[in-house]
Amino acid sequence: MNKVVYMDYAATTFVKPEVLEEMLPYFTEKFGNPSSFYSISRDTKMAIDKGRQRVAKALNCEASEIYFTGGGSEADNWAIKGIAFANKNKGNHIITTKIEHHAVLHTCEYLEKNGFEVTYLGVNKEGFIDLDELKNAITDKTILVSIMAANNEIGTIQPIKEIGEICRERKVFFHTDAVQAVGNIAIDVKDMNIDLLSLAGHKIYGPKGIGVLYIKKGIKIDNLVHGGGQERARRAGTENVAAIAGLGKAIELATVNLDKHAKKLTELRDKLIDGLLKIPYTRLNGPKGEKRLPGNVNVCFEFIEGESILLMLDFEGVCASSGSACTSGSLDPSHVLLAIGLPHEIAHGSLRLSLGDGTTEEDVEHVLRVVPPIIQRLRDMSPLWEDFQKRGEK
Ligand SMILES: *Cc1c(COP(=O)(O)O)cnc(C)c1O
């Protein structure tokens, strides 16, 4: 059996040992319901408070502005639907982008069926929005702008602070999906004028099924789950105590190690990009340099299919992704790659390799060893490549 090289950290991460250790007592001896009054419940209540404080510290906000959810998708849904329904007396217009995660896009589509109007901003070929286009899109009916901090497929980091300034000036709420950004770039909700922010545990070496929505104090938003008084009655239901404790530890570690982590990944990323671009007819998707997520590599190999690359990489023990996890299995190419202007046939040949804490120099070398012959073999079988070669000979 080959050694496994995991390069899909943008899909999910392992749980760090320190995080697991933080979680374990809440499955066994410290199991009390946090809403009860005996002492084992005080322990679980304290664990939730501690988790909340750690998240607040990492984002530079108050603990009372942090709400735990069942993950990143739930936080995105809550932010968008919650603001839309609570503020519909002010307007029915929402602005987002064409390259958001489906948790944002499909929520917006749902709202369009329910009386809201949505503007989907386009992006340039590196995946950046145009700030003037955003300014021009805001009308007196606009209530919310939702733009992701960093893209999960091509790694583009948006100018979040500038977007926040525009929204503040024009008095519209600003939500950002920061699921990929947290732990990879510095986030400060005050400095960046962010009103609502989503993040997820399992993208930052914490557990799956736990996330956060930051809601700035005083913002009018509908409650998500009606029931008991948990999460200040905004998201009812007995808390996922172990996951909250784990997320708190994970975000603390991510913040402390941010610079070191980003520097290491950036070096490995650029080595991988440079190596892959030596393969003929290969292009990089997304920007180069500082405006790209440290661990993100996304390339297109012309004349072949992304799915077949994945299959052959799997034989070599490499876990990678084409487009986003949600789109694989469908025949449509990624909406993000189409939005940056790639033609369908090229967008089909995409490969995302996302690096993380466990990635080593040897992993990068392994991938650079196995990918070129795979591409050659697939091109040798490809009718598109054959046509192209024939055209070249004429
Ligand atoms: C993973 C991801 C989500 C969804 O988070 P879940 O916790 O899996 O629901 C949302 N947005 C982005 C950008 C993501 O990468």
Side-chain angles (χ1 to χ4, degrees):
M1 179 68 194
N2 279 325
K3 135 184 161 87
V4 170
V5 173
Y6 184 77
M7 285 212 185
D8 206 13
Y9 285 87
T12 197
T13 65
F14 59 86
V15 171
K16 279 188 183 163
E18 304 95 306
V19 172
L20 179 64
E21 200 181 313
E22 190 89 18
M23 295 173 68
L24 285 176
Y26 303 101
F27 292 106
T28 50
E29 72 263 33
K30 296 180 179 176
F31 66 89
N33 189 315
S35 301
S36 303
F37 285 95
Y38 25 78
S39 52
I40 54 168
S41 295
R42 268 201 299 278
D43 288 342
T44 47
K45 209 177 301 163
M46 272 164 56
I48 294 170
D49 288 347
K50 190 171 181 185
R52 205 185 303 282
Q53 274 157 15
R54 283 171 157 169
V55 176
K57 190 167 176 225
L59 301 179
N60 190 27
C61 65
E62 305 294 319
S64 60
E65 296 172 310
I66 296 300
Y67 296 84
F68 291 108
T69 68
S73 299
E74 186 180 309
D76 284 340
N77 270 256
W78 185 10
I80 298 166
K81 284 184 261 187
I83 290 289
F85 290 126
N87 295 277
K88 62 173 186 266
N89 61 327
K90 284 204 282 181
N92 71 337
H93 182 228
I94 295 165
I95 298 171
T96 186
T97 78
K98 289 184 178 161
I99 63 163
E100 298 297 311
H101 190 273
H102 282 141
V104 168
L105 287 179
H106 291 168
T107 303
C108 287
E109 285 160 20
Y110 165 78
L111 287 175
E112 282 182 291
K113 291 193 196 114
N114 285 276
F116 291 89
E117 280 173 30
V118 181
T119 300
Y120 298 90
L121 297 175
V123 294
N124 69 13
K125 63 186 198 323
E126 293 185 326
F128 295 106
I129 66 150
D130 181 321
L131 292 174
D132 287 325
E133 212 176 306
L134 169 62
K135 280 183 204 157
N136 292 333
I138 299 175
T139 70
D140 50 10
K141 283 195 179 149
T142 310
I143 48 178
L144 175 69
V145 169
S146 178
I147 295 179
M148 69 198 322
N151 184 269
N152 47 305
E153 292 189 37
I154 59 171
T156 311
I157 299 170
Q158 300 294 342
I160 287 304
K161 185 172 172 164
E162 287 80 358
I163 296 170
E165 264 163 26
I166 292 169
C167 293
R168 179 132 320 167
E169 214 166 273
R170 303 290 296 271
K171 298 192 167 56
V172 299
F173 294 128
F174 174 38
H175 165 250
T176 189
D177 175 339
V179 173
Q180 293 288 335
V182 170
N184 286 311
I185 60 172
I187 297 285
D188 179 327
V189 292
K190 286 209 179 81
D191 177 57
M192 294 172 149
N193 295 308
I194 296 167
D195 297 312
L196 305 114
L197 175 144
S198 312
L199 67 91
H202 73 111
K203 305 282 175 82
I204 57 169
Y205 310 93
K208 295 172 179 59
I210 186 80
V212 161
L213 183 63
Y214 153 76
I215 307 174
K216 198 176 131 195
K217 210 178 301 155
I219 279 181
K220 217 173 131 199
I221 183 166
D222 273 8
N223 295 345
L224 180 66
V225 180
H226 305 275
Q230 296 93 348
E231 299 303 291
R232 283 133 289 156
R234 285 181 150 173
R235 197 240 184 210
T238 302
E239 299 89 340
N240 189 350
V241 183
I244 290 172
L247 172 56
K249 184 70 185 174
I251 202 166
E252 185 179 272
L253 290 172
T255 318
V256 172
N257 298 323
L258 189 101
D259 292 341
K260 221 175 88 199
H261 173 78
K263 186 167 179 286
K264 174 195 140 173
L265 292 191
T266 302
E267 279 170 23
L268 293 173
R269 174 196 77 186
D270 290 342
K271 182 173 171 157
L272 188 52
I273 290 176
D274 291 345
L276 291 172
L277 290 182
K278 289 195 182 121
I279 300 171
Y281 305 103
T282 301
R283 50 174 110 184
L284 178 68
N285 301 313
K288 279 192 164 164
E290 274 175 21
K291 297 280 162 62
R292 182 182 198 100
L293 277 177
N296 176 284
V297 175
N298 189 315
V299 290
C300 280
F301 303 105
E302 290 183 46
F303 315 108
I304 46 179
E305 295 268 330
E307 309 291 311
S308 41
I309 309 172
L310 292 189
L311 208 66
M312 296 183 83
L313 277 176
D314 188 35
F315 282 129
E316 301 288 350
V318 179
C319 311
S321 148
S322 71
S324 67
C326 322
T327 40
S328 48
S330 91
L331 285 174
D332 294 333
S334 135
H335 64 284
V336 177
L337 298 181
L338 295 181
I340 60 172
L342 293 188
H344 273 249
E345 67 275 14
I346 293 178
H348 269 301
S350 74
L351 174 69
R352 180 186 73 184
L353 295 158
S354 45
L355 321 184
D357 238 57
T359 310
T360 62
E361 191 107 24
E362 292 83 75
D363 291 344
V364 169
E365 280 156 14
H366 178 71
V367 170
L368 288 177
R369 233 182 350 263
V370 300
V371 171
I374 288 177
I375 301 304
Q376 189 57 54
R377 262 175 76 194
L378 290 172
R379 280 185 180 158
D380 287 345
M381 299 187 308
S382 157
L384 294 169
W385 178 246
E386 197 181 346
D387 285 352
F388 177 73
Q389 298 289 331
K390 276 188 194 139
R391 264 183 279 135
E393 279 158 23
K394 269 181 214 151

